[in-house]
Amino acid sequence: EGTYRREGRAILASLLLAQRSFDAGYESFSHLLIEDAGLTEESARSAVARLDARGVLGIILPNVGDLGSPIALEASQRGIPLVSLASTNDVETASFELQPNPRAEAAAILSGAEQEGLTRIAVVQPIGAGSYLDALTFQLSELGSEYGITVDTPLFYLPEAIQSEMGTLVTALA
């Protein structure tokens, strides 16, 4: 009944609905344990400890502002995997993020390009691809110099034209 009451109720309703769909038609049932992380780092860590004592297989980390990191760190120290409803890019944990992180993805792409010995890459994207791809392109440009890689200005294309124009596009990139 605190600051995150509305978000907590929406997440709980979603989890109960998911649990019902997973349990349908199976002999064994999943168990959903709910712990209130409270509003302090200490209460968040205590909630993780209580879940660990119950033998949970994983923790779903809600979007809880500043408490995400203490929860993620405590779970990581206890070896409990996380499914994150928020970005946890500031914590190295065994987490599965449901919200993509364009900066982390850009760093992974650039690291792979660096390992392959590439010094220049181009981003080719459909017009109107959406904000995530725009954010990823921005992060590639921002981080490129840290990896010694030049990121060219993005090339845009009309999605419906890709079939007929692929040969031209590949020639233009070569």
Side-chain angles (χ1 to χ4, degrees):
E1 297 300 317
T3 305
Y4 298 105
R5 176 181 58 242
R6 179 174 289 147
E7 292 88 345
R9 287 181 179 164
I11 290 168
L12 177 59
S14 299
L15 292 172
L16 292 172
L17 180 62
Q19 182 186 28
R20 263 185 272 153
S21 66
F22 288 135
D23 288 344
Y26 294 99
E27 288 183 25
S28 62
F29 296 94
S30 60
H31 296 279
L32 181 63
L33 300 175
I34 307 293
E35 279 290 337
D36 186 352
L39 295 175
T40 67
E41 286 188 25
E42 183 180 325
S43 63
R45 287 191 179 103
S46 294
V48 173
R50 288 190 302 274
L51 289 169
D52 187 27
R54 300 279 308 264
V56 297
L57 299 176
I59 293 176
I60 298 173
L61 179 68
N63 187 0
V64 289
D66 294 340
L67 294 180
S69 292
I71 292 170
L73 285 170
E74 185 71 25
S76 179
Q77 290 170 355
R78 294 171 177 273
I80 303 171
L82 295 172
V83 174
S84 178
L85 302 179
S87 176
T88 57
N89 59 346
D90 57 333
V91 181
E92 294 295 323
T93 63
S95 70
F96 305 93
E97 295 183 15
L98 300 179
Q99 181 179 39
N101 182 329
R103 187 169 184 83
E105 188 172 347
I109 291 168
L110 291 165
S111 177
E114 180 183 47
Q115 289 173 6
E116 292 294 320
L118 301 176
T119 58
R120 185 176 177 190
I121 63 171
V123 176
V124 181
Q125 70 185 65
I127 293 171
S131 59
Y132 181 76
L133 197 49
D134 292 339
L136 176 61
T137 301
F138 174 78
Q139 290 298 332
L140 285 167
S141 297
E142 287 287 306
L143 296 173
S145 63
E146 292 179 26
Y147 292 85
I149 296 173
T150 301
V151 179
D152 289 340
T153 302
L155 299 172
F156 295 95
Y157 64 88
L158 292 170
E160 57 274 3
I162 191 64
Q163 295 292 334
S164 62
E165 300 297 326
M166 187 52 93
T168 305
L169 186 59
V170 170
T171 304
L173 289 174

